[in-house]
Amino acid sequence: MISPDLAVCKDCVREMFDKFDKRYLYPFINCTNCGPRFSIIENTPYDRPMTTMKDFKMCDYCKNEYTNPLDRRFHAQPIACPECGPEFELLNNNLEKIQTDEPIKETIELLKNGKIVAIKGISGFHLACDATNTKVVKRLRKLKDRPHKPFAIMTQEKNLSKLVDITAENINLLKSPESPILILKKKKNLLSELVAPNNPNIGVFIPYAPIHFLLFDEELPFLVMTSGNINNDPISKDERSLQKICDYFLTNNRPILNRSDDSVILPTRNKNLILRRSRGFVPSPINLPINTIPTLGMGAALKITFSLTKNKQLFLSPYIGNSFSKNTMDFYFEMLEKYKKWFDIKPKLIACDLQPDFFTTRLAKKQDLPLIKVQHHHAHIAAIMAEHHITEPVIGVVYDGTGYGTDGAIWGGEIMAADFNKFQRLFHLNDMPLPGGDSAIKKPIRIAYAYLKKIGIDTNFLENISEMEKRIISKQIENNFNVFQTSSMGRLFDCVSTMLGLFPEISFEAQSAMALQFLCDENNIKNAKIYSYEIQNDKINIQSILKEIAKDIHNGISPKKIAESFHNTIIQFTVDAVTEASKKSEIKKVVLSGGVMQNKIIVENLNHILTKNNFTVYLPSELPSNDGSISVGQVMVANRKYLKT
Ligand code: ZN
Ligand code: ZN
Ligand code: FE
């Protein structure tokens, strides 16, 4: 077995700040209870010669501890001290060494002076800068080509409560060996507004590698610590790829073999929802409710992970990224080969998405293995069923952006009856036109225009769309040329968001949906007006919702009120549809999944009302509701289907 990387333990931290300890201020301190594992391992068994520590010959002091069964460092494979272990150095962005005896202190000064420093952590680089300095945060956004997506903030435990609303339970989670990023509500804004623009929340974490503990002082309490990567590429493990986007490197001579990004968790009223399962969690296996033959689940296209199974265990890859760059897919292959070797798995079955154009689908077809294609939303449900060890039929509510349907349309507002073997599409949002596919997803104002056009609502109030765009889209719809039909909930959010004048163009997934959510006061939702909708046959007709929203806009109702009503309407029609679905199917178990279930308002209220109405609700908690767990659902469905044939 290979353990995940673990945050430095409190005994080691105490020693690190003890002037009389051999490892005083030593940034590679660790013991059997903590330290790197996954990131340094080359091969199993986990033993020093099989790790990147093999090149550091233990000194007598370390060796004594390592061989003493009574010592806290007995067989601690990454054991090291200033005499024998790795060390940090400071480089400029030409990779030339800066002469200094105190590279870490020097780094703090550089950060205070508004520089961007790439800092080598446990399982990848972070790009760090002073989070209170708008000028440098702005520069980092420009260099990373990341105009809006929020940056995570690292701060010492003692400063957390200045920054965010935080509970004792949140603090324990931050201090856990997994040490994830938590998405919490900003208190007052001590940081540059550009850290998380137009966002009431902020992702925070606390030092988890020894080096992190040494980066702060009274004048530098808050650091942006964002994954060190070039747009669309995976997190970097060496300096070269980051040269253009930082001023300095605080780096060290211990190679990172296996990369993993920081994990991200969203605490909600009832449960913590994991949004990204990576460092601290991988490669720990997930126990499955059914036995499997060795199976590879490929993932979809966004937020890719792969899954490999062995009997009742599933090994989920670290977060890989979106399949749009060669480097990302190289990372995918690299980890896949390693997982196969480490866990001794030779897949006998392969599962992929139904979408024929996905890179992962094309790859799956090339393998000389039985292939099962799994409908995207079926996979979403199956993943969360696996998490909760449910094997009997459930009602799955899957709201997301895009998933290829069995009819070739783009699905994404789905209420299904499903088990691992099959699904039945009971209700879905009525189909709407998506002109030009992906291009409209990046420019959601085009979605609003197409939707309103289709319904016959006057579009004159829409801002931020050119006459030319309007003409092209009208023609496309008229001639049914390059127009896709979609039942996507994500696109409905896009439509309403841009109707209200928010983000006509977006720079990251779900940006306009988040903006709409952030307009709302969570406490007002249940009293907000509900727009009319119709549930007929298998369709939830959303056209009248859009008509009434257009009317509200016309009547000068505030965007905040409209956003609250829109959320309440979704909650209401979902409860109605689930109730209908339950009458038809006699199922009382409800699984919530899909990227939209990261919307706290939707997930908390659905959970609350459905539970009150005697449903048993299962939330995506240990596995992400987004496409990060699609590969898990794929292997579950594939196994059941394959064994039936
Ligand atoms: Zn320790
Ligand atoms: Zn030593
Ligand atoms: Fe999805």
Side-chain angles (χ1 to χ4, degrees):
M1 279 295 120
I2 299 173
S3 156
D5 292 325
L6 306 172
V8 60
C9 72
K10 60 177 193 306
D11 291 331
C12 284
V13 173
R14 189 177 27 79
E15 287 171 354
M16 187 168 60
F17 288 108
D18 175 358
K19 278 197 175 83
F20 302 102
D21 195 277
K22 179 157 177 87
R23 298 183 181 87
Y24 177 55
L25 301 184
Y26 181 58
F28 294 90
I29 191 168
N30 67 84
C31 71
T32 39
N33 302 322
C34 75
R37 304 279 189 275
F38 172 77
S39 57
I40 60 169
I41 194 165
E42 229 168 68
N43 209 343
T44 50
Y46 176 63
D47 217 348
R48 188 160 170 118
M50 300 289 203
T51 71
T52 55
M53 290 304 295
K54 68 178 180 218
D55 297 328
F56 301 94
K57 194 170 173 291
M58 267 183 249
C59 68
D60 289 343
Y61 185 92
C62 288
K63 193 156 217 161
N64 266 333
E65 291 179 326
Y66 184 83
T67 50
N68 175 4
L70 299 176
D71 197 278
R72 204 172 89 245
R73 297 195 168 87
F74 177 58
H75 283 185
Q77 307 304 344
I79 189 172
C81 77
E83 204 181 312
C84 68
E87 54 189 9
F88 271 93
E89 60 179 2
L90 186 62
L91 309 178
N92 66 19
N93 63 359
N94 283 323
L95 306 184
E96 294 153 350
K97 189 168 173 164
I98 308 283
Q99 287 311 326
T100 167
D101 292 336
E102 301 195 274
I104 300 169
K105 276 210 172 121
E106 192 70 26
T107 299
I108 293 182
E109 291 312 307
L110 289 167
L111 290 166
K112 281 185 198 164
N113 286 322
K115 300 295 181 199
I116 299 167
V117 185
I119 297 172
K120 191 173 187 176
I122 296 290
S123 57
F125 275 87
H126 286 107
L127 292 167
C129 73
D130 177 357
T132 63
N133 180 338
T134 294
K135 214 169 135 195
V136 68
V137 178
K138 193 172 181 179
R139 210 174 123 238
L140 179 60
R141 288 210 169 276
K142 210 171 170 148
L143 289 169
K144 261 201 114 180
D145 188 19
R146 178 165 154 158
H148 307 112
K149 198 176 173 190
F151 286 140
I153 297 297
M154 186 179 275
T155 188
Q156 292 161 303
E157 188 189 341
K158 64 174 186 187
N159 286 325
L160 280 168
S161 59
K162 294 180 193 159
L163 204 58
V164 284
D165 284 333
I166 192 159
T167 64
E169 195 201 334
N170 297 153
I171 293 176
N172 284 337
L173 191 54
L174 287 167
K175 287 164 78 172
S176 67
E178 293 84 9
S179 59
I181 294 171
L182 291 195
I183 313 275
L184 297 170
K185 202 162 185 182
K186 268 185 217 166
K187 234 176 188 169
K188 54 183 180 216
N189 211 346
L190 299 173
L191 309 177
S192 161
E193 177 52 32
L194 295 185
V195 167
N198 308 308
N199 195 324
N201 304 322
I202 194 149
V204 291
F205 55 157
I206 57 175
Y208 63 81
I211 182 70
H212 300 153
F213 284 83
L214 307 174
L215 292 173
F216 296 90
D217 71 16
E218 293 311 310
E219 292 150 33
L220 191 68
F222 305 115
L223 285 177
V224 167
M225 286 285 262
T226 186
S227 299
N229 67 329
I230 305 269
N231 212 353
N232 273 326
D233 275 0
I235 188 166
S236 290
K237 58 179 176 179
D238 51 44
E239 294 80 18
R240 232 162 304 144
S241 57
L242 299 175
Q243 276 178 278
K244 287 204 176 83
I245 56 174
C246 69
D247 303 311
Y248 294 91
F249 290 94
L250 181 62
T251 186
N252 65 62
N253 54 342
R254 182 174 70 196
I256 294 169
L257 275 183
N258 308 306
R259 287 168 276 181
S260 63
D261 276 81
D262 296 312
S263 295
V264 183
I265 290 179
L266 172 72
T268 73
R269 217 184 297 156
N270 310 84
K271 265 198 158 175
N272 296 320
L273 310 184
I274 199 160
L275 307 189
R276 188 197 289 154
R277 184 187 183 276
S278 213
R279 180 188 48 77
F281 294 91
V282 293
S284 294
I286 293 161
N287 292 320
L288 297 177
I290 60 170
N291 211 357
T292 64
I293 56 171
T295 311
L296 167 62
M298 301 291 288
L302 297 173
K303 299 188 167 65
I304 295 188
T305 60
F306 63 78
S307 287
L308 277 171
T309 67
K310 191 177 197 174
N311 305 321
K312 281 187 132 177
Q313 286 195 317
L314 182 145
F315 297 88
L316 184 59
S317 75
Y319 170 84
I320 304 279
N322 301 338
S323 64
F324 308 136
S325 99
K326 179 174 179 302
N327 289 336
T328 301
M329 291 323 288
D330 285 348
F331 179 37
Y332 182 98
F333 296 127
E334 174 198 321
M335 290 320 299
L336 181 56
E337 288 315 307
K338 284 176 172 169
Y339 266 50
K340 283 187 198 165
K341 183 176 73 178
W342 293 338
F343 306 117
D344 189 25
I345 300 175
K346 288 188 193 68
K348 292 200 160 52
L349 176 65
I350 193 162
C352 69
D353 202 275
L354 263 188
Q355 161 66 262
D357 296 328
F358 282 168
F359 189 86
T360 48
T361 305
R362 281 183 272 137
L363 211 63
K365 283 185 183 157
K366 281 190 204 148
Q367 315 302 310
D368 192 18
L369 285 171
L371 170 67
I372 306 257
K373 293 182 199 161
V374 180
Q375 200 280 323
H376 189 85
H377 305 97
H378 189 198
H380 266 305
I381 298 169
I384 307 310
M385 286 173 66
E387 174 190 334
H388 293 282
H389 281 221
I390 308 169
T391 51
E392 65 270 32
V394 298
I395 295 169
V397 180
V398 192
Y399 290 158
D400 72 352
T402 301
Y404 198 78
T406 48
D407 56 0
I410 299 171
W411 296 4
E414 309 300 317
I415 293 170
M416 296 173 163
D419 57 19
F420 287 136
N421 189 38
K422 58 188 184 310
F423 71 89
Q424 195 190 351
R425 200 182 185 206
L426 294 179
F427 296 101
H428 59 90
L429 303 190
N430 62 294
D431 281 335
M432 297 297 283
L434 183 65
D438 281 350
S439 65
I441 293 174
K442 291 193 184 105
K443 285 194 172 177
I445 186 70
R446 295 181 179 176
I447 297 170
Y449 184 78
Y451 278 29
L452 300 191
K453 203 83 201 154
K454 150 121 188 187
I455 305 171
I457 299 173
D458 181 13
T459 56
N460 279 329
F461 73 95
L462 290 183
E463 291 162 15
N464 308 306
I465 181 162
S466 69
E467 290 308 315
M468 167 99 119
E469 279 174 296
K470 288 184 186 173
R471 262 201 311 280
I472 294 172
I473 296 168
S474 300
K475 268 254 143 39
Q476 280 181 318
I477 295 176
E478 229 167 80
N479 303 332
N480 198 17
F481 170 73
N482 201 16
V483 173
F484 302 84
Q485 295 302 314
T486 184
S487 60
S488 162
M489 179 60 87
R491 299 297 86 82
L492 181 61
F493 266 89
D494 287 342
C495 171
V496 174
S497 191
T498 43
M499 280 170 80
L500 296 178
L502 301 163
F503 299 107
E505 205 170 323
I506 58 168
S507 66
F508 66 94
E509 200 197 352
Q511 187 178 1
S512 48
M514 281 164 67
L516 198 55
Q517 180 195 339
F518 297 154
L519 278 181
C520 302
D521 178 341
E522 289 171 26
N523 302 317
N524 288 347
I525 300 296
K526 60 177 187 296
N527 298 320
K529 169 174 101 177
I530 294 170
Y531 295 119
S532 14
Y533 55 86
E534 267 166 49
I535 301 181
Q536 256 178 0
N537 302 322
D538 61 346
K539 285 189 191 58
I540 303 167
N541 193 333
I542 52 155
Q543 300 200 2
S544 44
I545 299 174
L546 297 180
K547 270 185 203 156
E548 289 178 23
I549 289 177
K551 204 183 276 168
D552 272 359
I553 293 171
H554 190 75
N555 291 335
I557 307 290
S558 73
K560 175 175 174 290
K561 275 226 151 74
I562 295 173
E564 286 165 355
S565 285
F566 175 66
H567 276 81
N568 200 19
T569 307
I570 292 172
I571 293 156
Q572 229 14 253
F573 73 57
T574 306
V575 170
D576 285 359
V578 167
T579 308
E580 273 304 301
S582 170
K583 273 187 207 149
K584 279 189 202 172
S585 62
E586 293 183 3
I587 302 169
K588 294 297 275 181
K589 290 188 168 165
V590 181
V591 163
L592 305 183
S593 193
V596 176
M597 293 303 168
Q598 292 173 198
N599 180 319
K600 229 173 139 179
I601 296 174
I602 302 281
V603 82
E604 283 181 345
N605 283 285
L606 278 181
N607 184 27
H608 178 75
I609 300 173
L610 289 170
T611 305
K612 213 173 66 190
N613 294 357
N614 292 322
F615 290 98
T616 313
V617 182
Y618 298 90
L619 302 181
S621 178
E622 313 277 321
L623 287 175
S625 71
N626 58 45
D627 286 7
S629 62
I630 283 291
S631 65
V632 178
Q634 287 172 342
V635 295
M636 302 311 292
V637 172
N639 263 277
R640 269 296 152 89
K641 283 197 168 173
Y642 185 68
L643 297 178
K644 283 234 162 164
T645 55

